[in-house]
Amino acid sequence: MSDTYRMTIAGLERELIRCPLNEKTDIAAFIMFSDVELTVASAEELLKKCPEFDVILTAESKGIPLGYEMSRQSGKPYVVARKSVKLYMSNPVAVTVKSITTATEQTLYLSAEKAELIKEKNILIVDDVISTGESLNALEKLAENAGGKIAAKAAVLAEGDAAERTDIIFLEKLPLFFK
């Protein structure tokens, strides 16, 4: 069995490292950090598929490059849900999430100022990979708690069963590897 998985994403060939999720399953690690070419191409292709929106919302940290680039290309603002309360954040809105790629439960936060930016706006939620959907659900709840309306949910890749969902927009399917 190979230690990598080769796939085409937004017209670009990439080789993803396979990592053990548990003793029965491996996942292919999709990391956009430092891959500017892939980030730009993925943002461009996703924007072609997305409906009208006012603000992009993503989670710290792996969704940040995609959120930034989609913001740059669309001219729409983006907001990052933070994993901890920062000193500059007043009256944060919070939700809790347990993702497949994090060892423990995490909380996502928006400052009152960022929540106000989302209020009564059409929100495009973006992430690098949707797998279990827990991070996506947390972002959706966070946006709704801040008074935003979800325009769409999008990711570069949909992993495993997420690829069968009809409520998300994605570029490619990412398989799980069963041992």
Side-chain angles (χ1 to χ4, degrees):
M1 204 180 296
S2 174
D3 292 329
T4 62
Y5 176 70
R6 180 172 284 281
M7 67 182 301
T8 302
I9 307 163
L12 302 170
E13 289 288 322
R14 292 296 184 266
E15 198 153 326
L16 309 181
I17 297 170
R18 284 182 47 175
C19 304
L21 180 61
N22 56 43
E23 58 273 344
K24 295 181 181 181
T25 311
D26 285 355
I27 60 173
F30 178 64
I31 311 297
M32 292 185 78
F33 290 131
S34 303
D35 194 337
V36 175
E37 180 185 37
L38 182 62
T39 302
V40 170
S42 295
E44 183 177 352
E45 292 305 311
L46 273 176
L47 284 168
K48 290 176 185 175
K49 294 179 148 208
C50 290
E52 284 294 315
F53 63 92
D54 301 311
V55 178
I56 295 165
L57 176 64
T58 193
E60 187 177 38
S61 65
K62 288 172 56 180
I64 293 173
L66 181 64
Y68 166 82
E69 184 57 27
M70 290 178 77
S71 173
R72 190 188 70 75
Q73 289 184 25
S74 69
K76 305 285 177 75
Y78 80 107
V79 172
V80 177
R82 304 300 304 262
K83 290 183 180 176
S84 62
V85 176
K86 306 300 179 191
L87 293 174
Y88 59 82
M89 297 173 79
S90 63
N91 302 317
V93 177
V95 295
T96 302
V97 62
K98 175 70 173 96
S99 168
I100 192 172
T101 56
T102 55
T104 60
E105 198 170 71
Q106 295 182 329
T107 303
L108 296 176
Y109 302 91
L110 284 179
S111 68
E113 295 79 15
K114 296 301 182 186
E116 188 62 32
L117 180 63
I118 286 174
K119 187 177 180 182
E120 297 179 8
K121 299 287 190 333
N122 292 314
I123 308 303
L124 174 61
I125 296 174
V126 301
D127 209 349
D128 60 338
V129 179
I130 297 172
S131 187
T132 64
E134 290 304 314
S135 297
L136 193 68
N137 292 341
L139 286 168
E140 189 169 9
K141 186 175 177 185
L142 194 60
E144 289 169 351
N145 288 352
K149 298 171 279 188
I150 307 304
K153 299 168 276 190
V156 177
L157 303 177
E159 184 173 53
D161 292 342
E164 305 307 317
R165 292 177 58 164
T166 58
D167 66 323
I168 60 173
I169 297 165
F170 60 94
L171 299 181
E172 300 296 335
K173 296 178 182 182
L174 183 62
L176 294 172
F177 303 92
F178 300 103
K179 301 176 192 176

